[in-house]
Amino acid sequence: MPEGDTIHKIAAFLCVALRGQSLESVMLRGRDCPDLRSAEVLGVTSKGKHLFMELGGGRLLRVHLGLYGAWHRYPTGQPWKKPARQATLVLVIPGQSYVCFNAKEVEILKGQGFQARDLESRLGPDLTRESPEIDLLFRRARELVSPETQVTDMLLDQRIASGIGNVYKSEVLFLGRCGPRTCFADLSGETFAVLYRTAGHLLRSNLGGGPRITRRVADGRGILWVYGRAGLACFRCGATLVRERQGLNPRSTYWCPGCQAGEGWQPSGPPDLPAPDDPSIMPAD
Ligand SMILES: [Zn+2]
């Protein structure tokens, strides 16, 4: 599932592969596409779950993969592994095609235009890049969400901070011992800080290769604490983990009724509390 760490890695890969290349053709499904033949790729970056490709001529290509999107690369003439009708975007350079299948959103913006600036201003700080300034994030949250907003929706709100998707949402709430139905109004400042610091640590610790890991305990029992483990025993307390669909746009949340019975992290909490800088849980970047 593409979250901020995945998009960061894709952007870095595409930047190395495409920077300085001239596009032979661009196909954008279902949209009129400006003539971008011969446009040079100037760079590829990401912010949260959005990928931005800067093109010569002042154009900016934006891609949001959503839940099901994926990028493939094919040498010219090699059959694709997915049907052509699922291709949302095709970028062709000499000898190679870069195909983005099933993207949620693809658009071409004017690089310095209103839409690009508006999007930039609406996205919160990218947690894959910077240690979150908690005060700033808290101010954004207070302005942007209602007191009744559940913490699951808060974490997925890319306007507060960008990069957290459904997997990290569940993992971060578990590590912060925060019940998924906790409302923003009931969230302590300490818990708010723990949730976003933990999200930043996890995202940045997963920017290398390999699978996404939130549980770095070398016992061979699992690399995620709760996500995808409904019905299995909690690694920490032994309670049976639960999967629930909840929130504004109901998405699955995996959680532990034993560890996450309350409003969240407390300074006087249990001794196995995951401090945000505890290297046994979240390695240094
Ligand atoms: Zn538990």
Side-chain angles (χ1 to χ4, degrees), residues 174 234 237 256 259:
F174 174 79
C234 171
C237 75
C256 174
C259 295

Side-chain angles (χ1 to χ4, degrees), residues 111-272:
Q112 299 302 317
F114 168 76
Q115 278 182 297
R117 291 203 311 271
D118 183 52
L119 180 71
E120 172 71 24
S121 68
R122 281 188 285 120
L123 281 175
D126 184 341
L127 295 172
T128 64
R129 289 174 185 275
E130 46 206 281
S131 292
E133 274 186 50
I134 298 302
D135 290 347
L136 170 67
L137 302 190
F138 190 74
R139 283 199 302 277
R140 291 181 77 93
R142 207 167 42 194
E143 288 168 11
L144 292 165
V145 303
S146 69
E148 301 79 34
T149 299
Q150 292 185 353
V151 69
T152 45
D153 288 327
M154 181 194 80
L155 289 172
L156 292 177
D157 192 327
Q158 305 296 301
R159 300 171 302 169
I160 300 171
S162 55
I164 301 173
N166 217 37
V167 177
Y168 284 118
K169 174 194 76 179
S170 291
E171 298 295 292
V172 161
L173 288 172
F174 174 79
L175 289 168
R177 292 182 173 268
C178 185
R181 295 186 184 281
T182 306
C183 293
F184 176 61
D186 296 330
L187 205 57
S188 70
E190 288 88 348
T191 300
F192 183 91
V194 165
L195 294 179
Y196 280 98
R197 285 201 185 108
T198 303
H201 276 288
L202 293 178
L203 281 158
R204 291 192 300 280
S205 69
N206 278 289
L207 294 181
R212 182 179 290 138
I213 301 174
T214 62
R215 179 177 181 268
R216 294 181 189 268
V217 181
D219 58 5
R221 296 167 67 205
I223 56 176
L224 298 176
W225 287 98
V226 289
Y227 189 85
R229 300 193 64 247
L232 300 175
C234 171
F235 287 128
R236 198 152 56 187
C237 75
T240 302
L241 300 180
V242 174
R243 171 181 179 262
E244 267 184 61
R245 290 175 71 82
Q246 44 100 228
L248 279 178
N249 300 304
R251 304 278 306 275
S252 294
T253 300
Y254 295 86
W255 64 288
C256 174
C259 295
Q260 294 171 257
E263 169 271 327
W265 188 87
Q266 294 294 326
S268 58
D272 66 341

Side-chain angles (χ1 to χ4, degrees), residues 25-29 80 84 87-92 97-100:
S25 69
V26 177
M27 187 287 290
L28 195 57
R29 179 164 299 281
W80 296 353
T88 325
L89 169 72
V90 184
L91 303 174
V92 179
S97 293
Y98 291 79
V99 188
C100 185

